[in-house]
Amino acid sequence: MHRLSLMVWKILSWGSWMRRSLMRTLRSLVLCHWRSKPSFCELNILNMPELPEVETVVRILNAKIRGAVIRDAWLDWPKMIRDPYNPRHNFLDKRAVANFKKNIKGKKILGLRRVGKNVLFDFAGGWTMLVHQKMTGHFLVGKWAVRKKNVLAISPEQMKTDKWNGYIRAVFYLGDPPNQRSGETGGRMLAFSDLRRFGKMILGPKEVIEELPDIKALGPDALARDLTSKRFGKILRTQNRAIKTALMDPKVIAGVGNIYSDEALWRVGVHPERRANSLASWEHESLHKELRVILREAIKKRGTTVGDFRDPDGMAGDYAKSRRVYGFVGRACERCGELIERKKVNSRSAHYCPCCQKR
């Protein structure tokens, strides 16, 4: 009996020691890495790039890498590669990954374009790559040293100092057109950083890519020339649901998300829970005008950064300084002084002024 008691005591003591050791190890890891990793609060302010952010990416990349040739590709997260003929299959498809790496080599970039929140790379030979950056994905242009699973930023400086630029999941080695004077080619790279690993890439013939639901199911673009105020109002009159939800549905209007829907509704004085089909014609017209003004302003300021978004130069967008309601819970409304509130509208956060935006 004494031996049994002694054995039990030793086991319990050993278990307690193991628990204390494990806790010390975890504590050390947290203390060592807390400065280089996003905090829990920061993870709560991640926002999917919307129309202005994606348009910013496309414009900068067109200026920087149009005409370059992709010589090779390195992938850290193969699951983001999708088969163009079976795009809904979101599990690791080794055949799709092998085909992607094989087909991307030697492709010359003719240009980039935006369709909704998608970035489309058009290559010579009739091929196209669709990229959806999802929640935390963004492209970067610079130089990296890739060693197996480790990616070390070399230049520019913001790639090394900004933690949001450090979650590299893919690197495309570019063979730039020869310099007209020296005849030398550059050693630039196009990288894709994605903290949450939700981004996806689909490479295939242009006609196949343009038939994907990611494109075919989209409604008119929020900045499309043919989206007149009359057509905008006609679309919203078919939506018997909250105006906030209708604006954010890409099948209704493509490109609008949390930030710009909140800002536009505040400018017009419309409550986010009002039924879209209950708005008067003048409200539809005013909302159409203000939404497009805001989107164009945000593009000029290279998008909004309230968390992780960075442009291909690794820099944050400047439109965050122009916000009036988004993310300002508890602050005084600029128009009336009432405190800004936030509530869930169909599982999405809506920021509004309860005085200026009466339901």
Side-chain angles (χ1 to χ4, degrees):
M1 187 69 181
H2 176 71
R3 288 184 178 181
L4 180 61
S5 300
L6 184 61
M7 186 179 297
V8 170
W9 179 82
K10 286 184 177 180
I11 292 174
L12 291 175
S13 299
W14 181 81
S16 177
W17 175 84
M18 284 294 292
R19 286 194 296 272
R20 289 196 300 271
S21 177
L22 179 60
M23 290 302 295
R24 283 196 297 268
T25 302
L26 290 174
R27 184 184 178 189
S28 298
L29 289 173
V30 171
L31 290 175
C32 287
H33 294 285
W34 74 273
R35 291 183 179 178
S36 62
K37 301 296 181 183
S39 68
F40 176 77
C41 293
E42 288 175 313
L43 289 175
N44 282 335
I45 58 173
L46 301 179
N47 290 283
M48 183 181 294
E50 301 180 35
L51 187 155
E53 289 75 50
V54 181
E55 184 66 26
T56 297
V57 169
V58 167
R59 292 185 181 188
I60 293 178
L61 289 183
N62 265 323
K64 286 182 172 290
I65 66 172
R66 180 189 291 170
V69 176
I70 297 178
R71 299 301 183 190
D72 202 355
W74 171 89
L75 300 173
D76 174 60
W77 189 246
K79 286 185 179 181
M80 67 182 171
I81 305 302
R82 306 289 177 85
D83 184 346
Y85 300 99
N86 187 21
R88 295 187 182 278
H89 181 74
N90 60 355
F91 299 101
L92 178 59
D93 188 336
K94 293 183 178 180
R95 181 179 297 179
V97 174
N99 288 336
F100 179 89
K101 297 183 76 171
K102 174 185 175 182
N103 293 327
I104 198 74
K105 291 182 181 180
K107 290 290 188 293
K108 181 179 180 180
I109 303 172
L110 298 181
L112 293 90
R113 53 196 168 102
R114 178 187 61 80
V115 178
K117 298 179 184 178
N118 300 296
V119 178
L120 269 66
F121 290 72
D122 288 323
F123 299 111
W127 284 68
T128 295
M129 179 171 69
L130 180 147
V131 180
H132 198 305
Q133 301 171 113
K134 294 294 183 179
M135 187 67 74
T136 60
H138 58 274
F139 282 103
L140 300 165
V141 177
K143 291 186 179 181
W144 290 264
V146 180
R147 299 184 181 91
K148 294 183 179 181
K149 289 289 184 178
N150 296 320
V151 182
L152 178 65
I154 299 175
S155 65
E157 188 64 25
Q158 55 268 26
M159 305 303 177
K160 297 186 287 184
T161 57
D162 190 335
K163 63 187 176 186
W164 294 111
N165 294 328
Y167 302 93
I168 306 300
R169 308 302 176 195
V171 174
F172 299 95
Y173 298 85
L174 304 178
D176 297 326
N179 185 287
Q180 293 182 355
R181 293 185 178 180
S182 65
E184 297 178 353
T185 58
R188 295 181 304 163
M189 302 175 184
L190 174 66
F192 185 71
S193 178
D194 188 2
L195 168 64
R196 299 287 294 275
R197 301 177 181 177
F198 290 159
K200 68 176 180 179
M201 300 181 181
I202 309 176
L203 174 67
K206 183 177 181 179
E207 61 273 14
V208 174
I209 298 299
E210 293 190 340
E211 290 297 319
L212 292 174
D214 304 74
I215 295 178
K216 294 293 287 185
L218 293 177
D221 192 83
L223 287 180
R225 290 184 179 180
D226 60 353
L227 184 62
T228 61
S229 60
K230 184 177 180 180
R231 185 186 177 193
F232 182 79
K234 185 177 180 180
I235 291 172
L236 292 184
R237 277 190 285 272
T238 66
Q239 300 296 310
N240 185 28
R241 52 179 171 166
I243 182 64
K244 165 84 172 178
T245 305
L247 287 176
M248 292 181 60
D249 187 345
K251 295 180 181 179
V252 178
I253 304 291
V256 183
N258 256 336
I259 298 174
Y260 303 108
S261 58
D262 281 353
E263 295 296 319
L265 291 172
W266 178 83
R267 287 198 186 187
V268 181
V270 173
H271 193 282
E273 287 186 311
R274 273 189 63 184
R275 294 286 172 180
N277 58 5
S278 73
L279 272 63
S281 296
W282 68 268
E283 289 177 308
H284 285 149
E285 184 176 345
S286 181
L287 181 57
H288 172 265
K289 176 184 176 181
E290 293 299 334
L291 178 61
R292 290 162 76 93
V293 167
I294 289 172
L295 293 175
R296 291 191 178 105
E297 287 177 357
I299 291 173
K300 289 181 180 179
K301 296 183 178 181
R302 301 183 354 269
T304 302
T305 296
V306 291
D308 64 297
F309 172 72
R310 300 294 185 271
D311 67 22
D313 291 321
M315 307 299 290
D318 288 334
Y319 189 78
K321 301 172 185 176
S322 302
R323 289 174 296 150
R324 296 296 179 266
V325 287
Y326 182 81
F328 291 158
V329 179
R331 293 194 187 184
C333 172
E334 289 188 3
R335 279 197 298 247
C336 67
E338 188 70 33
L339 298 183
I340 301 298
E341 295 182 1
R342 178 180 63 192
K343 70 184 309 182
K344 291 288 185 180
V345 179
N346 290 330
S347 76
R348 303 300 294 271
S349 294
H351 302 79
Y352 67 101
C353 171
C355 179
C356 297
Q357 298 169 261
K358 295 187 182 297
R359 187 169 180 180

